[in-house]
């Protein structure tokens, strides 16, 4: 018997990932729902091949889009999945076994990221446990800038499921650098709006600290070349973030 939940996926130009994602969910939940931000590639055409609920809306930000998509679901229980993710066999089996009958319960899934063809088990990227199964009557996505988070009307009981949510992230370094820089700019704006400032040395001190933390303390060196690239790009993104924050402060 399928999980009486709706898998909700937010998409924009996900033709490379969406088929794998949908196929991994159809036998797990009784509804797969896609909210697309008017993709310019073949995302919509690919979705039309599958029995999914497909909607489109102009992009309104991560939290607003996810909350709207959740409101369209036929089930109160939501399995929130990104287009570049898919449950592995063990996690799929776990999802089919659990009971979801208590509104205050939530379930964490352990995400395992594939970076440029390599599974990353260190670098601060693993373990990567995230709440992805919850009842919409008790939850709401919040956050306007970068990483959206869930808030709860009642303090939740957290359950952790075995297995992995496989995350097929970046296929090349350029993708990672562009995404990291984008988030850095958004984070700088968020910090600026909160009245934060950065000294002249902050971008470089922060970058050095980030690299040391990810590559040495969080054992990124065990991920080899990929661990080095992850730490380097993450460190560089800190330079971008705090330089942008300084620019914003100087504009006042």
């Amino acid at each position: 018997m399928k999980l009486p939940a709706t898998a909700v996926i937010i998409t924009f130009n996900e033709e490379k990932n969406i088929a794998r994602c949908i196929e991994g969910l159809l036998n797990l939940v009784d509804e797969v729902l896609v909210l697309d931000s008017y993709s310019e590639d073949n995302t919509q055409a690919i979705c039309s091949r599958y029995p999914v609920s497909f909607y489109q809306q102009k992009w309104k930000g991560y939290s607003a889009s996810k909350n709207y998509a959740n409101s369209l679901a036929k089930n109160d229980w939501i399995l929130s999945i990104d287009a570049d993710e898919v449950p592995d066999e063990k996690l799929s089996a776990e999802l089919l076994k659990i009971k979801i009958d208590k509104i205050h319960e939530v379930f964490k899934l352990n995400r395992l990221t594939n970076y440029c063809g390599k599974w990353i088990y260190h670098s601060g990227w693993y373990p990567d446990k995230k709440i992805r199964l919850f009842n919409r009557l008790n939850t709401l996505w919040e956050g306007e800038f970068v990483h959206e988070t869930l808030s709860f009307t009642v303090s939740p009981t957290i359950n952790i499921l075995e297995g992995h949510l496989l995350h097929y992230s970046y296929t090349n370094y350029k993708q990672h650098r562009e995404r990291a820089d984008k988030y850095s700019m958004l984070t700088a704006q968020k910090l600026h709006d909160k009245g934060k400032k950065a000294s002249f040395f902050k971008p470089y001190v922060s970058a050095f600290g980030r690299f040391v933390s990810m590559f040495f303390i969080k054992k990124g060196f065990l991920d080899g070349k990929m661990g080095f690239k992850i730490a380097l790009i993450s460190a560089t993104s800190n330079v971008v973030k705090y330089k942008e924050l300084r620019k914003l402060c100087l504009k006042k």
Side-chain angles (χ1 to χ4, degrees), residues 9-10 14 17-18 20-21 81-86 111 165-170 179:
I9 312 165
I10 307 296
E14 290 288 355
N17 295 306
I18 192 61
R20 177 183 60 229
C21 180
I81 300 289
D82 291 341
D84 58 359
E85 298 173 339
V86 63
R111 190 165 69 162
L165 182 63
L166 302 178
H167 178 214
Y168 294 88
S169 63
Y170 308 106
R179 179 71 64 84

Side-chain angles (χ1 to χ4, degrees), residues 184-199:
S184 293
M185 300 293 277
L186 291 171
T187 302
Q189 182 64 57
K190 181 178 180 179
L191 292 172
H192 179 258
D193 290 350
K194 289 184 175 180
K196 302 295 184 180
K197 297 181 179 180
S199 68

Side-chain angles (χ1 to χ4, degrees), residues 1-5 7 20-32 50-52 79 86-87 91-93 95-97:
M1 182 180 294
K2 295 181 181 180
L3 189 70
R20 177 183 60 229
C21 180
I22 292 174
E23 290 172 3
L25 296 170
L26 287 176
N27 293 324
L28 288 181
V29 294
D30 61 13
E31 183 186 30
V32 176
Y50 300 95
V52 304
L79 178 61
V86 63
L91 177 57
S92 296
L95 288 167
L96 291 173
K97 288 191 304 183

Side-chain angles (χ1 to χ4, degrees), residues 177 180-181 184 187-188 198 202-211 214 231-245:
R177 180 61 190 272
D181 287 352
S184 293
T187 302
K202 179 67 172 180
Y204 310 103
V205 173
S206 176
F208 178 77
R210 173 67 67 87
F211 184 88
M214 296 187 74
L232 181 62
I233 292 174
S234 296
T236 303
S237 73
N238 267 22
V239 175
V240 173
K241 175 174 63 180
Y242 287 112
K243 279 190 172 183
E244 177 63 17
L245 177 58

Side-chain angles (χ1 to χ4, degrees), residues 29-91:
V29 294
D30 61 13
E31 183 186 30
V32 176
L33 186 151
V34 176
L35 178 63
D36 181 66
S37 299
Y38 293 100
S39 290
E40 299 166 349
D41 62 2
N42 292 317
T43 298
Q44 182 175 2
I46 295 171
C47 288
S48 68
R49 303 172 193 167
Y50 300 95
V52 304
S53 301
F54 185 85
Y55 301 90
Q56 288 185 305
Q57 176 186 254
K58 289 184 179 180
W59 181 246
K60 297 182 181 297
Y62 290 103
S63 295
S65 296
K66 289 187 175 184
N67 286 330
Y68 177 63
N70 291 351
S71 74
L72 298 172
K74 72 177 186 180
N75 298 292
D76 287 333
W77 280 91
I78 304 296
L79 178 61
S80 183
I81 300 289
D82 291 341
D84 58 359
E85 298 173 339
V86 63
D88 68 4
E89 290 186 9
K90 190 166 188 177
L91 177 57

